[in-house]
Amino acid sequence: MIKQLLTYEESKNAIVTIAIGEPYLSAWEKYSKKSWVLYCIKNKINLFVITENLVSKNDAKWKKATWQKLLIGDALQKNNYNVENVCYLDTDIIISPQARNIFDFYDKNKYGLISRFKNLPFRINTTLKKVAFLRKLYYDPN
């Protein structure tokens, strides 16, 4: 099921997330949804949350929940949503309401991805060593 939380008829841009299953949906609603709504209102962006598989398990296009993002474009088109540009975000992302409109600086002919390592304040090897070392301080075998 696709739920449209915010609708802007004049906008063909949408932010979409997938929260299939109660634990994912409730965590998104508790921790992230408010920041997404504020951001989308500020920038007049349509907001969608997908709460069920986009196709049945018997369908040849069926994918596990982690791969459902590949079906978003078809699903929005099939449900007659007037969207041309989609920004898919994982449910654990918190958006700063002051952030610039992501659709103002992208290339329509390309896919955009974010690096987990680019622009870190430290060298990546130093960061990974610290994480590996410090995780033992907080590791609970139970």
Side-chain angles (χ1 to χ4, degrees):
M1 169 187 269
I2 302 174
K3 294 180 184 178
Q4 186 167 12
L5 303 178
L6 291 173
T7 305
Y8 292 97
E9 295 295 331
E10 68 278 5
S11 176
K12 297 193 185 307
N13 301 325
I15 291 182
V16 181
T17 195
I18 296 174
I20 298 174
E22 192 280 326
Y24 300 102
L25 181 60
S26 62
W28 178 74
E29 288 176 334
K30 182 177 181 179
Y31 299 111
S32 300
K33 180 181 175 183
K34 184 177 180 179
S35 70
W36 291 38
V37 168
L38 291 171
Y39 176 81
C40 289
I41 289 171
K42 176 188 170 216
N43 294 294
K44 293 184 172 55
I45 299 172
N46 296 293
L47 178 60
F48 295 89
V49 61
I50 297 168
T51 59
E52 294 177 10
N53 289 313
L54 294 172
V55 294
S56 72
K57 288 188 178 184
N58 299 329
D59 192 308
K61 288 185 177 181
W62 185 83
K63 305 277 186 250
K64 290 184 178 183
T66 53
W67 292 96
Q68 292 280 327
K69 61 189 118 196
L70 300 173
L71 307 174
I72 291 172
D74 285 344
L76 291 174
Q77 187 179 37
K78 207 182 290 182
N79 287 286
N80 296 317
Y81 290 112
N82 191 18
V83 172
E84 289 181 10
N85 308 303
V86 173
C87 174
Y88 166 79
L89 296 174
D90 287 337
T91 56
D92 60 351
I93 302 291
I94 296 174
I95 305 172
S96 169
Q98 286 78 38
R100 291 177 31 206
N101 186 338
I102 193 164
F103 295 101
D104 286 346
F105 56 95
Y106 79 102
D107 185 338
K108 196 173 188 172
N109 299 313
K110 296 182 180 179
Y111 287 95
L113 302 171
I114 303 298
S115 170
R116 291 181 359 181
F117 304 114
K118 186 176 178 185
N119 298 323
L120 286 176
F122 308 103
R123 291 182 43 213
I124 186 62
N125 289 339
T126 304
T127 303
L128 292 175
K129 284 179 186 178
K130 284 183 180 182
V131 168
F133 177 76
L134 294 173
R135 75 169 181 240
K136 293 182 181 184
L137 291 175
Y138 302 103
Y139 179 73
D140 180 0
N142 295 326

